[in-house]
Amino acid sequence: MIREIFQLQNPWREKSDYSFKLKPRDIFETISLNLENELILGLIGSRQVGKSSVILLTIEHLMRKGVNPNNIYYFNLDDFVLHEIFSSLPAFFEFIGKTDEKKYILIDEIQRLPSPGLFLKEVYDLKRDIKIIFSGSSQLEIKSKTKEHLVGRARIFHVNRLSFKEYLEFASPITKKEALSQMLLYGSYPAVAKEGSILEKKLRLKDIFQSYVQKDLVDFLQIGRTDSYNKLLVRLSNQIGELLNINDLANNLSVKRAEIEKYLDILEQTFICKRVYPFHKNYNKEITKTPKIFFLDLGLRNFLLNNFSSLDTRTDKGSLFENFFLNELISNDHYGINKINFWRTTNQTEVDFIIQSEDLFEAIEVKWNNKINPKSFETLHSHYSGIKTRVVTKDDFLET
């Protein structure tokens, strides 16, 4: 039974003309640069964002480079029958066999194992010629099950929903104007992008919400008050790009502040929402300040509000576009090393995003239409003379 399931998951091992038929993902170039180092590679991200596709792109890449398909092992651990292979090191090595050639082990949804961190550590520490790539759908679950085991042994990458550039490929044929409108209304899950009709896009979002945001999270995290959890999601949907007042949320939902903070941590660690904190030179002070809240998929946000009305009639398109641009910043940072904040003074002078990396210090104001530099840039330059500034509008995506 185990061998039969494995063969079904690995059809390219028996079909030399097997066609993967996969759309390219920008992050794969970064992944490919790390295939020859000794580190375990981890791919984490929400369900349905394409982690499995990135793994299959890796397999296709390896085969094109001449790696023997029999040295490539793919396991999707959503099928619990395969878990027996990972029950012990002897069982694992008995299954993959012994050869003098390098083996590539690709494991999807590794958090399904009871002790994935210990298993990966033990295999890595044997120093055999094995490259392991794994995926997982929850930072909370991955961290709880790997703990200190992967420190110094793994490099973790975030697989995000589609960027604007990728959306144009997945939804082709489509104009840039249509793509931008669809991403602001229906989000950027690959499966949603591929659907041609508006009804099918909405049904895909409903499936993702019910199976992942509701069922998976509630079941795994054992959320007791699902009514409070669902109401919180709606409240957050109504205030994207706004300062997050936890006390107000707790009072309005009649729950304790600690419970709201717990739910916010869950939503962030499972790639539903993201908190962006105000910029401060002292990081310890920064994380104590009031953050803004954003959604990592605008389709889910609009689904929660049951609002898919045209951009022409919406009063929130400015907020949607600001949220969209944040998602672009995140999607194009494959190593996850850029620091993203907003800037706000005590007299409420504000700049939407401050981006920092080793060689970048930039302020960005996001506007739907207005390309004129805001007065807040002058105030910002008086505090940080070396910072670069720019205004981003929808035309930056429609004219490129």
Side-chain angles (χ1 to χ4, degrees):
M1 175 66 77
I2 292 176
R3 284 285 175 184
E4 291 174 359
I5 292 173
F6 175 75
Q7 291 299 339
L8 287 172
Q9 291 189 1
N10 293 256
W12 49 85
R13 295 169 69 96
E14 295 182 338
K15 300 177 182 178
S16 58
D17 60 343
Y18 183 81
S19 176
F20 287 81
K21 297 179 180 178
L22 294 168
K23 296 282 188 180
R25 293 299 304 268
D26 290 345
I27 194 174
F28 176 70
E29 183 178 349
T30 304
I31 301 297
S32 66
L33 295 174
N34 287 269
L35 288 175
E36 299 308 317
N37 63 41
E38 78 284 359
L39 295 171
I40 297 167
L41 303 185
L43 310 177
I44 61 173
S46 165
R47 277 188 172 274
Q48 303 291 316
V49 296
K51 299 185 301 298
S52 297
S53 293
V54 174
I55 286 180
L56 295 177
L57 283 167
T58 304
I59 294 171
E60 184 179 39
H61 171 79
L62 292 171
M63 291 172 61
R64 285 179 176 172
K65 284 183 60 180
V67 175
N68 187 333
N70 291 322
N71 290 326
I72 301 172
Y73 295 77
Y74 170 71
F75 305 93
N76 187 327
L77 297 185
D78 277 339
D79 194 318
F80 282 79
V81 174
L82 297 179
H83 290 202
E84 185 177 332
I85 297 169
F86 301 89
S87 60
S88 67
L89 284 185
F92 172 71
F93 283 108
E94 179 181 355
F95 187 87
I96 68 171
K98 294 181 179 180
T99 67
D100 294 329
E101 298 176 303
K102 186 172 185 176
K103 292 182 181 291
Y104 295 85
I105 311 299
L106 303 104
I107 307 171
D108 237 340
E109 303 298 347
I110 199 168
Q111 77 277 357
R112 302 297 189 200
L113 296 178
S115 302
L118 182 59
F119 168 80
L120 292 172
K121 175 185 180 298
E122 289 177 337
V123 173
Y124 179 90
D125 288 351
L126 288 174
K127 300 299 181 185
R128 299 198 184 183
D129 203 7
I130 292 175
K131 181 71 173 184
I132 296 179
I133 302 170
F134 72 84
S135 82
S137 295
S138 167
Q139 287 193 82
L140 285 173
E141 203 167 1
I142 292 291
K143 286 180 179 178
S144 70
K145 290 186 175 182
T146 58
K147 296 180 182 177
E148 75 281 359
H149 296 308
L150 297 187
V151 175
R153 299 178 176 90
R155 181 166 290 162
I156 306 299
F157 299 89
H158 287 210
V159 181
N160 299 297
R161 297 158 182 86
L162 300 177
S163 67
F164 183 71
K165 175 187 172 186
E166 290 174 322
Y167 196 96
L168 290 169
E169 292 287 334
F170 273 67
S172 180
I174 191 173
T175 67
K176 291 179 179 180
K177 183 177 180 180
E178 291 169 337
L180 181 60
S181 175
Q182 289 185 18
M183 291 182 76
L184 265 59
L185 295 179
Y186 307 106
S188 47
Y189 277 103
V192 176
K194 289 178 181 178
E195 294 293 351
S197 78
I198 298 306
L199 175 60
E200 289 300 324
K201 289 181 185 294
K202 291 179 180 178
L203 290 175
R204 282 282 190 178
L205 285 169
K206 180 181 178 182
D207 291 341
I208 292 170
F209 178 77
Q210 290 181 335
S211 64
Y212 172 51
V213 180
Q214 281 191 322
K215 186 177 184 302
D216 275 11
L217 290 184
V218 170
D219 288 352
F220 166 65
L221 298 162
Q222 298 180 336
I223 295 175
R225 298 185 60 176
T226 56
D227 58 331
S228 298
Y229 170 74
N230 290 327
K231 288 177 181 177
L232 175 63
L233 283 170
V234 174
R235 291 267 183 178
L236 296 176
S237 300
N238 265 314
Q239 57 186 77
I240 56 171
E242 296 180 7
L243 294 174
L244 186 62
N245 191 318
I246 296 179
N247 286 331
D248 280 356
L249 287 171
N251 291 333
N252 290 331
L253 297 175
S254 300
V255 298
K256 294 180 180 178
R257 178 187 173 96
E259 190 168 0
I260 296 294
E261 291 177 334
K262 170 191 171 185
Y263 290 164
L264 288 169
D265 286 339
I266 290 169
L267 291 169
E268 189 155 20
Q269 295 294 320
T270 52
F271 312 102
I272 303 301
C273 293
K274 180 173 178 61
R275 285 169 287 189
V276 174
Y277 288 85
F279 175 72
H280 199 288
K281 285 187 174 181
N282 185 323
Y283 179 71
N284 289 330
K285 289 184 178 179
E286 179 180 294
I287 60 175
T288 64
K289 303 295 183 180
T290 303
K292 289 184 176 182
I293 191 73
F294 295 90
F295 268 70
L296 290 175
D297 187 77
L298 288 169
L300 283 181
R301 181 264 182 180
N302 292 330
F303 177 84
L304 283 160
L305 297 177
N306 192 27
N307 184 1
F308 294 100
S309 58
S310 168
L311 291 177
D312 295 334
T313 63
R314 299 185 77 114
T315 59
D316 63 349
K317 56 179 173 282
S319 297
L320 287 172
F321 186 61
E322 180 183 350
N323 199 140
F324 159 83
F325 186 73
L326 171 66
N327 292 344
E328 281 290 290
L329 292 174
I330 294 169
S331 293
N332 290 299
D333 180 20
H334 299 151
Y335 281 102
I337 58 176
N338 289 345
K339 189 167 176 285
I340 303 173
N341 299 95
F342 68 93
W343 187 70
R344 183 181 177 93
T345 66
T346 53
N347 63 359
Q348 299 185 12
T349 299
E350 189 171 309
V351 176
D352 291 330
F353 298 112
I354 305 290
I355 316 300
Q356 295 178 89
S357 65
E358 186 176 350
D359 56 357
L360 179 66
F361 186 33
E362 183 180 35
I364 301 173
E365 186 71 11
V366 182
K367 301 293 183 185
W368 181 247
N369 277 316
N370 190 354
K371 196 70 175 178
I372 300 173
N373 283 345
K375 290 183 178 179
S376 58
F377 280 177
E378 296 178 14
T379 309
L380 181 67
H381 278 295
S382 69
H383 289 79
Y384 308 101
S385 58
I387 193 169
K388 296 179 180 179
T389 55
R390 64 183 169 114
V391 177
V392 171
T393 72
K394 68 178 189 302
D395 292 336
D396 288 288
F397 292 89
L398 303 183
E399 295 174 356
T400 54

